[in-house]
């Protein structure tokens, strides 16, 4: 039961994040003017944008149910489960509640319009909440497996670069800075080093350069400790680069935006699961469930 609940919590949280990206890309965030229902009832709305938004809320609700069930099972049924797994499940639950409240506030303030800086920051914070939920759930699964990655995991310093790239990428998207450099790469506004007096150009340019450093970090991690995990991480980083560059030069073609979003959140979850957390080798034992 615990395995199924946690697996569904991870799956639905991931779907929610991708679906949310689709809602953002199609400007459907305010298609349902009420919260938590759409037009104040349970009827399926007629407009495609409203269906998209209502579907996102429905999947979010399912994710929340499985996050709560996982927390309940770990704390009240599987009492011998590792404390680290219990704490991670608690973090996931707390941020699930926080994300629901943030979502409600976004609708009431009409934040998806991105009219004010406060709206942009609120939308970005909502994505960060989702990332914390997904990361906490993935760590819950890992801690239940009781498996450490003393030498073959993703180095913390490389993970930090990747996380910084993702954080700035969210800011780029939810501040409307995605096209600040135009539909070009590697140049930005026709130059290798653009005029940085425009804050959106500066943000986009900074995000790109952090991404370049991240690529170098994972190349170094692979060269310094070549194994299946570091090789896979480097391959995934390159795949993410491919989607991101294709998205920009195509003028943010929606299928490529979807692939970039899906790959980005998958990469985050995969890196979190394979993060090197221990320097002391420990034998792998039977999963605690």
């Amino acid at each position: 039961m615990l395995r199924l609940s946690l697996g569904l919590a991870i799956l639905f949280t991931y779907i929610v994040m991708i679906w949310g990206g689709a809602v953002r890309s199609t400007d459907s965030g305010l298609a349902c003017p009420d919260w938590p229902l759409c037009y104040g009832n349970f009827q399926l709305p007629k407009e495609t944008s409203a269906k998209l938004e209502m579907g996102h809320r429905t999947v979010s609700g399912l994710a929340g149910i499985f996050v709560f069930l996982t927390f309940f099972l770990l704390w009240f049924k599987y009492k011998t489960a590792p404390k680290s797994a219990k704490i991670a499940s608690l973090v996931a639950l707390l941020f699930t509640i926080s994300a629901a409240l943030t979502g409600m506030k976004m609708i009431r303030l009409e934040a998806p319009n991105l009219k004010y800086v406060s709206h942009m920051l609120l939308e970005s914070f909502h994505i960060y909440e989702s990332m914390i939920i997904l990361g906490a759930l993935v760590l819950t699964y890992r801690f239940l497996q009781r498996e450490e990655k003393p030498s073959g995991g993703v180095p913390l310093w490389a993970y930090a670069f990747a996380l910084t790239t993702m954080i700035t990428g969210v800011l780029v998207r939810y501040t409307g800075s995605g096209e600040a450099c135009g539909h070009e790469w590697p140049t930005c506004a026709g130059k290798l080093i653009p005029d940085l007096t425009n804050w959106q150009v500066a943000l986009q340019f900074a995000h790109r350069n952090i991404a370049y450093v991240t690529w170098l970090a994972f190349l170094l991690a692979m060269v310094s400790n070549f194994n299946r995990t570091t090789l896979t991480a480097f391959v995934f980083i390159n795949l993410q680069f491919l989607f991101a560059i294709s998205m920009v030069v195509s003028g943010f073609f929606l299928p490529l935006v979807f692939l970039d979003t899906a790959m980005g959140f998958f990469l985050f979850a995969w890196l979190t699961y394979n993060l090197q957390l221990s320097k002391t080798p420990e034998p792998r034992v039977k999963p605690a469930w």
Side-chain angles (χ1 to χ4, degrees), residues 1-282:
M1 183 64 178
L2 176 58
R3 185 189 296 272
L4 176 62
S5 175
L6 179 54
L8 289 174
I10 293 173
L11 175 63
F12 278 112
T13 299
Y14 177 66
I15 293 175
V16 165
M17 297 172 77
I18 298 175
W19 204 316
V23 169
R24 172 72 264 168
S25 299
T26 56
D27 293 322
S28 303
L30 292 176
C32 289
D34 302 321
W35 191 94
L37 302 178
C38 191
Y39 294 103
N41 57 59
F42 289 96
Q43 294 181 353
L44 184 66
K46 296 180 180 180
E47 299 81 2
T48 301
S49 58
K51 290 179 181 177
L52 190 61
E53 168 62 10
M54 194 60 196
H56 176 244
R57 295 185 188 184
T58 302
V59 176
S60 297
L62 290 173
I65 290 172
F66 287 115
V67 169
F68 174 77
L69 181 58
T70 299
F71 165 81
F72 179 82
L73 290 173
L74 273 173
W75 283 81
F76 299 102
K77 185 175 180 180
Y78 293 84
K79 297 183 179 181
T80 60
K83 186 178 179 179
S84 55
K86 292 183 177 181
I87 293 175
S89 70
L90 174 60
V91 170
L93 178 62
L94 291 177
F95 275 91
T96 296
I97 297 172
S98 173
L101 295 175
T102 302
M104 175 185 66
K105 188 173 183 179
M106 284 165 51
I107 298 302
R108 293 183 176 178
L109 294 178
E110 298 186 351
N113 284 333
L114 302 180
K115 187 176 181 180
Y116 306 107
V117 174
S118 60
H119 290 174
M120 300 174 184
L121 295 178
L122 185 63
E123 289 254 333
S124 299
F125 177 70
H126 191 51
I127 303 302
Y128 298 147
E129 288 175 313
S130 299
M131 290 176 64
I132 292 173
I133 295 167
L134 181 61
L137 290 172
V138 168
L139 287 176
T140 300
Y141 179 84
R142 176 173 166 178
F143 293 147
L144 285 171
Q145 294 291 103
R146 296 178 183 270
E147 179 184 4
E148 296 296 344
K149 300 180 182 297
S151 59
V154 175
L156 181 59
W157 54 269
Y159 180 85
F161 280 113
L163 188 59
T164 303
T165 303
M166 295 173 193
I167 290 173
T168 55
V170 170
L171 282 175
V172 165
R173 186 165 191 182
Y174 289 92
T175 58
S177 305
E179 298 183 84
C181 286
H183 302 155
E184 56 188 83
W185 183 89
T187 57
C188 178
K191 301 177 181 178
L192 286 176
I193 302 179
D195 181 5
L196 301 178
T197 55
N198 182 304
W199 68 268
Q200 290 180 309
V201 172
L203 179 59
Q204 173 67 268
F205 186 69
H207 169 65
R208 290 188 178 191
N209 282 277
I210 294 171
Y212 301 150
V213 175
T214 298
W215 185 88
L216 290 173
F218 277 87
L219 175 61
L220 178 60
M222 181 183 67
V223 171
S224 61
N225 185 21
F226 186 83
N227 56 65
R228 185 172 62 181
T229 301
T230 56
L231 173 61
T232 304
F234 187 63
V235 170
F236 283 161
I237 288 291
N238 278 275
L239 190 58
Q240 180 68 51
F241 257 72
L242 177 63
F243 288 145
I245 294 170
S246 300
M247 177 182 66
V248 170
V249 299
S250 69
F252 291 84
F253 182 50
L254 278 179
L256 290 174
V257 173
F258 176 83
L259 288 173
D260 179 68
T261 302
M263 184 61 204
F265 290 135
F266 170 80
L267 178 61
F268 168 72
W270 188 88
L271 291 176
T272 300
Y273 179 76
N274 287 281
L275 182 62
Q276 183 177 319
L277 294 177
S278 174
K279 294 183 179 179
T280 304
E282 294 183 13

